[in-house]
Amino acid sequence: MVASREIRLASRPRGWPTAENFDLVTAEVPAPADGQVLVRNTLMSVDPYMRGRMNDVESYVAPFQVGAPLEGGAVGEVVESRSPDLSPGDLVLHGSGWREYAVLDAGHAVRVDPAVAPASAYLGILGMTGLTAYAGLVAVAALQPGDVVFVSGAAGAVGSAAGQFARLLGAGRVVGSAGSAAKVAHVTGELGFDAAFDYHDGPVAEQLRAAAPDGIDVYFDNVGGDHLEAAVGQLRVHGRAALCGAISAYNETSAPPGPRNLARMIGWRLTLRGFLVRDHADLRPEFVSRVGGWLRDGSLVYRETFVDGLAQAPDAFLGVLRGDNLGKMLVRLP
């Protein structure tokens, strides 16, 4: 047995989560059985989609259970192995975050090489985050060279990847929205977007028209709400939207109003398509090859925001919902 601290869901939030919705407890972790490994987590991811799993509603993934540890992407070191496929000292990517130690089937852990990229990259730009951005543009929105692309949440983990991928895949113009002047400067400076705006500065529809006066061909949606309505209003004929997230509505206690201009989809023959990254696993080899090359030649950059200590994981998660992060939000475990 190994003593391990873990974060459990204490109660289901109504509206914005608070510290009272989380419990930090110490539990005993059993030794691995045949075919299993014991992993000491060193990094874990906190992501917006986790807010939806805190609700007891039908969705594409099972809800978190009250009294049970939360789950999410993590990287850790194998400390004990009962599998021929993994050895002590191996660094692995898996889905049992929010805890210091995890026992899992070896088949649910993927060995990663820190010599190729930092361990944190496998939770971000080279992991689910990056593949989400890539699949949304390539498979869902069918990005074409010369397209004008709008990305909401452009300073976040997925948005910052999507905007850069669009540019590197030949987009004619890339526009982003972000939540502060500093983030706008980061998006247009370090990330290379052609234009960006702070959505606090005025109606999103007006700011998007100013940034893309001739319209857009592709919208990568991380926000929903007024951003989605603005994008529908600016999409050109046969425009496409990849609906990845709707963070503006995640903490609402009643259903927010939908876009008021969906009738435009008829005359302009628009396509709005939701997607899940797990449906595009076939793209991973192509994604790793392309993105790995962009990282090696310096044409792609990524930022990370770190919070230290498992006890701080709930606040790190709330920080993602508040938009405190630049790039990927990660929790380091000593």
Side-chain angles (χ1 to χ4, degrees):
M1 293 285 188
V2 174
S4 171
R5 294 188 305 163
E6 60 188 30
I7 303 289
R8 295 179 180 176
L9 184 66
S11 58
R12 298 199 184 278
R14 180 168 175 78
W16 278 84
T18 67
E20 287 68 34
N21 298 126
F22 304 89
D23 273 338
L24 175 62
V25 302
T26 299
E28 290 188 336
V29 178
D34 287 343
Q36 294 185 321
V37 291
L38 173 66
V39 177
R40 180 180 65 83
N41 288 333
T42 56
L43 283 166
M44 56 167 274
S45 176
V46 288
D47 301 287
Y49 81 88
M50 295 174 177
R51 175 61 186 87
R53 294 192 67 186
M54 294 179 179
N55 299 329
D56 190 12
V57 296
E58 183 180 3
S59 184
Y60 62 89
V61 63
F64 294 133
Q65 296 302 304
V66 174
L70 295 139
E71 300 172 343
V75 169
E77 179 186 355
V78 175
V79 294
E80 185 178 349
S81 176
R82 296 286 301 277
S83 166
D85 299 323
L86 293 169
S87 302
D90 285 345
L91 202 64
V92 294
L93 172 69
H94 62 90
S96 295
W98 293 87
R99 67 202 80 186
E100 292 174 326
Y101 287 86
V103 170
L104 54 147
D105 293 340
H108 294 163
V110 178
R111 186 187 292 109
V112 298
D113 187 352
V116 173
S120 58
Y122 294 98
L123 289 169
I125 197 70
L126 283 176
M128 182 181 71
T129 298
L131 182 57
T132 299
Y134 188 83
L137 291 172
V138 173
V140 180
L143 178 71
Q144 300 298 313
D147 278 348
V148 177
V149 178
F150 172 44
V151 180
S152 58
V158 174
S160 61
Q164 291 186 88
F165 292 170
R167 172 174 52 82
L168 292 164
L169 290 167
R173 182 172 175 81
V174 181
V175 176
S177 69
S180 70
K183 287 184 176 181
V184 167
H186 166 66
V187 165
T188 56
E190 191 172 2
L191 301 185
F193 283 56
D194 297 287
F197 58 86
D198 181 348
Y199 61 82
H200 296 107
D201 287 346
V204 174
E206 293 180 8
Q207 295 196 78
L208 179 57
R209 278 195 297 270
D214 296 325
I216 60 175
D217 301 290
V218 168
Y219 173 45
F220 193 106
D221 188 20
N222 294 301
V223 175
D226 57 352
H227 281 70
L228 179 55
E229 183 173 295
V232 169
Q234 280 299 101
L235 281 166
R236 299 196 278 219
V237 172
H238 298 301
R240 294 89 65 202
L243 308 183
C244 176
I247 195 170
S248 67
Y250 287 169
N251 295 302
E252 296 293 330
T253 56
S254 59
R260 296 165 296 180
N261 55 352
L262 291 183
R264 181 181 171 88
M265 293 180 61
I266 302 167
W268 273 255
R269 287 87 86 197
L270 307 180
T271 300
L272 275 62
R273 180 180 167 194
F275 74 101
L276 300 176
V277 66
R278 70 186 187 194
D279 295 332
H280 300 282
D282 60 304
L283 285 176
R284 179 169 292 280
E286 173 188 321
F287 158 75
V288 171
S289 175
R290 266 183 161 166
V291 174
W294 291 333
L295 286 171
R296 284 190 297 272
D297 68 20
S299 57
L300 177 66
V301 299
Y302 64 97
R303 294 284 293 273
E304 298 165 322
T305 300
F306 289 98
V307 172
D308 290 309
L310 181 67
Q312 302 306 313
D315 193 57
F317 169 68
L318 296 177
V320 171
L321 300 182
R322 293 190 299 259
D324 295 348
N325 54 302
L326 195 61
K328 182 71 174 176
M329 179 75 88
L330 297 164
V331 178
R332 286 185 290 220
L333 283 65

